[in-house]
Amino acid sequence: MTISRRLLAGLLLTIFPLLPSAAAAQNFPAKPIKLIVPFPAGGPNDIIARVIGQRMSELSGQPVLIDNRGGQGGVLGTDAVSKAPPDGYTIAISSAGALAISPSMERVAYDTATDLAPVTLVATVPEMLVVATDVEAKNVSELIALAKAQPGKLNFASSGPGSLPHLAGELFKLTAKIDIVHVPYRGAAPAVNDLLGQQVQMTFLDLPVLLPQVKAGALKPIAIGSAMRSPTARDVPTLSEAGFPDLRVENWYGMVAPKGTPKEIVTALHGLATKAMADPAVKEKLAAQGATLVGDEPDHFRAFIADETKKWAKVIKDAGVETAK
């Protein structure tokens, strides 16, 4: 065989394995997509996934089937997608907790960096800091002054140990140099109930969870953790405006696929998801939930997850949060 024929043969051997995945990407999706939501129906993660999934279905002509797999703060559903066939037909919209926090808090069966293929950061939802109506503070500075005057006397509720609301409270403690006591609950609802009953004094929780009580005057809003004020709570200042520019506390939700999913399929999923997110009706529905749609590139989302993982791992360490690792 001549050198030129050998080169041609080598080139063909390189190209041919790529043809099936390229052809699959051109026809993708050719059957229903299973979209795992690692939380029960009705919560922010579920609402975001259903709105995005419905529009993806309309755009692709294929059903996008929601599969709620709650458990272990989103870990079980995220683990399920990490072990699914890498063909793009089983994906997930998972949360900051399962993707960036839980791996530092407990033993999980997946490695976010190596067992998942990031598709896109879908949305961010700010955490809102609120206090019970009997707390004599109307803003961040007054709340910090109150906490410093009564070290160890004020409690902050969370939706559970190692949850984003828990770590948001710990970051607030570290940044403001105050002594407040963590009181964990099994979810947001019981935490809010005890806050309404003035059994605890404050909490950080997702904006949509707290907004109805804030609008009803049953809880006092102090600040939100996003860079900009929320359109659904324009009168509530950001923590940055209150003098804490580094105190960013936002929940976020991102689309991931199993490791080994061909790049062409990831690109196709990214295009479908971001096109759905660009729809004005989708934006309007999710804005009403306090969510800001993002739609970044897979590589950017991968770097974002890495940054968030480092950020919360440092908070866990600096605050001395007990882990199960």
Side-chain angles (χ1 to χ4, degrees), residues 198-222:
Q198 300 178 354
Q199 303 302 308
V200 288
Q201 285 73 53
M202 70 187 82
T203 190
F204 280 92
L205 285 171
D206 281 12
L207 175 63
V209 174
L210 296 170
L211 204 52
Q213 302 294 346
V214 167
K215 288 184 174 180
L219 294 173
K220 289 195 290 186
I222 299 297

Side-chain angles (χ1 to χ4, degrees), residues 33-37 49 53 64-68 91-93 255:
I33 296 173
K34 180 190 293 184
L35 176 54
I36 292 176
V37 177
V64 175
L65 308 174
I66 302 297
D67 182 359
N68 291 95
I91 58 176
I93 291 182
M255 183 177 290

Side-chain angles (χ1 to χ4, degrees), residues 115-322:
D115 293 337
L116 295 165
V119 177
T120 187
L121 177 58
V122 174
T124 60
V125 177
E127 298 296 284
M128 178 184 275
L129 172 60
V130 299
V131 298
T133 52
D134 66 335
V135 174
E136 296 181 355
K138 300 185 295 296
N139 53 51
V140 174
S141 60
E142 290 182 3
L143 181 59
I144 291 172
L146 186 64
K148 287 185 175 181
Q150 306 175 52
K153 298 296 184 181
L154 300 183
N155 298 326
F156 75 95
S158 82
S159 52
S163 63
L164 185 62
H166 173 202
L167 297 187
E170 297 291 351
L171 181 58
F172 183 47
K173 285 175 61 176
L174 291 168
T175 306
K177 296 180 174 58
I178 54 176
D179 180 11
I180 53 178
V181 180
H182 175 225
V183 180
Y185 289 83
R186 289 182 177 271
V192 172
N193 285 339
D194 269 12
L195 192 63
L196 292 170
Q198 300 178 354
Q199 303 302 308
V200 288
Q201 285 73 53
M202 70 187 82
T203 190
F204 280 92
L205 285 171
D206 281 12
L207 175 63
V209 174
L210 296 170
L211 204 52
Q213 302 294 346
V214 167
K215 288 184 174 180
L219 294 173
K220 289 195 290 186
I222 299 297
I224 61 170
S226 53
M228 306 289 290
R229 292 197 184 197
S230 171
T232 56
R234 294 187 184 278
D235 293 336
V236 182
T238 67
L239 286 163
S240 179
E241 289 177 272
F244 296 92
D246 296 328
L247 192 49
R248 288 283 299 277
V249 283
E250 291 181 287
N251 206 345
W252 50 265
Y253 303 92
M255 183 177 290
V256 292
K259 68 176 179 181
T261 302
K263 184 178 180 179
E264 296 85 357
I265 297 296
V266 171
T267 300
L269 282 167
H270 175 269
L272 188 58
T274 52
K275 190 173 182 180
M277 291 157 61
D279 185 279
V282 169
K283 288 183 177 181
E284 183 178 355
K285 287 179 183 177
L286 293 183
Q289 297 295 321
T292 299
L293 294 175
V294 182
D296 60 352
E297 295 294 326
D299 286 346
H300 184 274
F301 184 32
R302 184 184 301 279
F304 175 83
I305 294 173
D307 288 344
E308 286 284 289
T309 300
K310 290 177 183 176
K311 170 184 175 178
W312 294 117
K314 186 176 187 303
V315 172
I316 291 166
K317 180 181 178 181
D318 291 350
V321 176
E322 184 178 349

